[in-house]
Every structure is written in structure tokens, then in C-alpha cells.
Amino acid sequence: MKFVMPGGTGQVGTVLRRALSAAGHEVVVLSRRPAGEGEVYWDGASPGPWAEEIDGSDVVVNLAGRSVNCRYTPGNLRLMMDSRVDSTRAVGEAIASAARPPRLWLQMSTATVYAHRFDAPNDETTGLIGGGEPGAPGYWSYSVDIAKAWERAQEEAATPHTRKVALRAAMVMSPDRGGVLDMLLRMARLGLGGPVAGGAQYVSWIHDRDFVRAVEFLVARDDLTGPVNLAAPGPLPQRAFMRALRAAWGVPVGLPATRRMAEAGAFVLRSDTELLLKSRRVVPGRLLEAGFHFDRPEWPAAADDLVRRIRGRDVR
């Protein structure tokens, strides 16, 4: 099959491209800075020659969007919103105008759309959409607004011959350098991998190979449309998550951090505390109901596998 991946040069795109190519599929990445074979230029906002790649393809996986690992200034928040909505609209226009439209459009979204909560998990049916919930800073609602606008742009696209799925993805854990796991391990090795602000906030995650398998599952299942949570069924509190990661690497101690310490650290790293403090208790209701089996459903075993691969530099 031919897969077209707008914005496929980041961590998640690298994971997916590597696996799909190894499986014998043709993968074309649309990028603002194409760097080699299989990469085509696009501006991420408007129709162009890149649309020819979508015409006649089998699956589009749109991963485009400015990284959330930044300071949440008004300017960066606007870039995060525009890069997601504009690119999604452009992909929708390309699919709508294709003589041979793809049969499936997988659109990246985020588990951040759900509410900051500790009391119950969020699945696609009963989960609470976030925005203004008690105990959450007011500006966190903008991340929810971005997620909703992102999904709405896909929903509104006039693509009657193309099935549409929104991937509400949790953090994808892979052994690649520069990814989220790489950052967390760096903190742990420095002795900073302890509870943050008490550590009760839930961490939702998915092992990279389960992420790929879930994408392949969705490609094969013509009956699944709409939002689908891509998250392991075992979310856990941040203190337990980091404890398991430290154990996998062999770091005995992780210093705790208060909320103020986390804010100071995020400022130095030019990031934001929402990434550390929001409780994302997300579970894969629709995947499990459809019969998908996770190879790595629990974090301790997943962390052990990822650390083994990092030490062996096995990113496949």
C-alpha cells in the first residue's frame, strides 16, 4: 500500500515510517524541509504539487503540527493551533479534489483533549472533554481548544469516499533519540526522576510497537471511524511511572520536585508544566472493544523492553 504522511519527520513519524517501510509499504513524507528520497515539499497550509501524492494513495496519516514541547506563550499557542488546523484543512482539500481519493485518513489528535482528572479513566464514550475543570490552570483549556479544532477540521472536510479516524494519541514511547522517553530518561539519570507535585497525576502512554500495530489494525478495520484513543490500557500515577522507569534503567533514587520547582525547570527547558502536571488518565476503549491486543499493556514491562533496546541501540 501507499501511505502519505504529512508532517512525518518527527518522532512519531519516524517510528511509523520505519515500520511501514520495513513491512514493504511505499511511504511518502510531506515536509517543509524535505531531506531525501521519499520526502516531498509542502508548506503545511495550502494546496500544491504535493497533492499529487495523495491522489491514488491508500492511506493518509496526517501528523503535522508544531511541537508542544515549548513555552505556552500566546504566540506559540497560536502557532500550535494554526499549524494543526491549517494543515488538516489542506489535507482535506487535497483528498476532496483527488480523482482517486485514499480509502482512509488517519488524523493525529491528542489525549490532551480529555479533562484533567484523577477519579476515573477517560474512554471515547464516557470520557470527559477538558476545559475549565477544577484544579487546572485556566490556560490549559487552550490545549483542549486546539485538540477540538484539530478534530473539527477533519470532521468538516468533504471527503465522502474516505473513512476518517482521529487518533487521540498518548505519549508514544520509543527508543529514538530526541523523543519523550529520551527526555524522561535523561531526567532519571540526573537523579531528577522522582514525583512531581506529589506524583498523583496520571500518565498515559503507548509502546512504539503497539502504536504501529494499532495503526495497522485501524487500516484493516473498515468499520472504525471517528475518535480512537491510542493509549495503553495501563495508565498510572506519575510517581509510579517514574519509579518503574528508574528501575528499568537501574537508578535507585529520584528526587521529588514541588510544583514551583517544576515551573522553574520548565522555564529553563523552554517547556511548560502542563506536560508534567496534567492528569491524563486515558484508556483505549474502542480498540479493546474491537478486539485489539496490546503486546505491552503495562508500563514496567514496556519500560524494561525500551531500555533494553536503547542500550542495544535497537530502534526497529
Side-chain angles (χ1 to χ4, degrees):
M1 289 192 291
K2 179 180 180 180
F3 287 76
V4 179
M5 293 172 47
T9 57
Q11 179 217 353
V12 175
T14 297
V15 167
L16 197 54
R17 182 183 190 180
R18 183 170 58 226
L20 293 173
S21 297
H25 300 294
E26 178 186 359
V27 181
V28 176
V29 170
L30 305 183
S31 171
R32 295 175 185 269
R33 292 178 291 277
E37 185 179 355
E39 297 187 7
V40 173
Y41 174 78
W42 84 321
D43 66 1
S46 57
W50 57 266
E52 297 173 7
E53 298 294 342
I54 286 179
D55 196 339
S57 66
D58 297 288
V59 181
V60 173
V61 188
N62 184 20
L63 305 171
R66 191 207 192 284
S67 172
V68 299
N69 188 20
C70 62
R71 296 295 297 162
Y72 283 13
T73 64
N76 282 340
L77 288 170
R78 174 49 56 186
L79 285 172
M80 288 160 61
M81 173 75 84
D82 291 347
S83 64
R84 285 160 173 74
V85 173
D86 292 348
S87 62
T88 303
R89 287 175 177 163
V91 168
E93 290 173 10
I95 293 174
S97 62
R100 294 173 298 161
R103 64 183 181 85
L104 174 61
W105 173 9
L106 298 175
Q107 172 59 50
M108 195 66 166
S109 181
T110 173
T112 298
V113 73
Y114 292 109
H116 169 71
R117 64 189 301 197
F118 304 85
D119 58 332
N122 290 302
D123 64 17
E124 300 91 337
T125 303
T126 64
L128 301 178
I129 301 300
E133 57 267 31
Y139 78 94
W140 284 8
S141 65
Y142 197 82
S143 296
V144 176
D145 292 341
I146 291 172
K148 291 192 292 186
W150 204 2
E151 292 186 6
R152 188 163 56 247
Q154 185 196 30
E155 292 169 5
E156 294 175 350
T159 58
H161 304 294
T162 300
R163 179 167 58 97
K164 297 186 284 192
V165 177
L167 308 176
R168 290 180 175 172
M171 293 186 294
V172 179
M173 298 295 171
S174 82
D176 298 272
R177 289 191 173 96
V180 61
L181 180 63
D182 190 34
M183 178 190 70
L184 293 171
L185 272 173
R186 191 178 308 124
M187 293 174 59
R189 291 195 298 267
L190 291 171
L192 304 176
V196 175
Q201 65 274 24
Y202 276 80
V203 177
S204 287
W205 57 278
I206 186 168
H207 188 280
D208 62 334
R209 290 174 177 167
D210 277 336
F211 177 85
V212 171
R213 291 178 57 252
V215 167
E216 293 171 337
F217 183 84
L218 291 169
V219 170
R221 287 291 297 263
D222 290 337
D223 57 323
L224 293 175
T225 63
V228 175
N229 293 346
L230 267 61
L236 67 173
Q238 185 267 343
R239 57 177 173 260
F241 180 91
M242 291 305 298
R243 185 187 308 122
L245 184 58
R246 294 197 313 269
W249 193 265
V251 179
V253 177
L255 296 176
T258 65
R259 179 182 288 266
R260 288 187 178 276
M261 292 167 66
E263 290 169 351
F267 182 82
V268 170
L269 295 173
R270 302 186 65 80
S271 186
D272 195 90
T273 55
E274 182 186 18
L275 302 174
L276 289 173
L277 300 179
K278 182 169 182 178
S279 186
R280 296 173 174 84
R281 193 175 180 184
V282 179
V283 293
R286 296 192 69 198
L287 280 178
L288 293 176
E289 289 170 3
F292 181 76
H293 170 77
F294 284 83
D295 284 344
R296 304 287 180 180
E298 301 298 332
W299 177 238
D304 286 342
D305 174 73
L306 289 161
V307 164
R308 177 188 57 78
R309 290 164 61 198
I310 289 170
R311 286 182 162 148
R313 294 317 320 164
D314 176 13
V315 297
R316 292 171 297 171

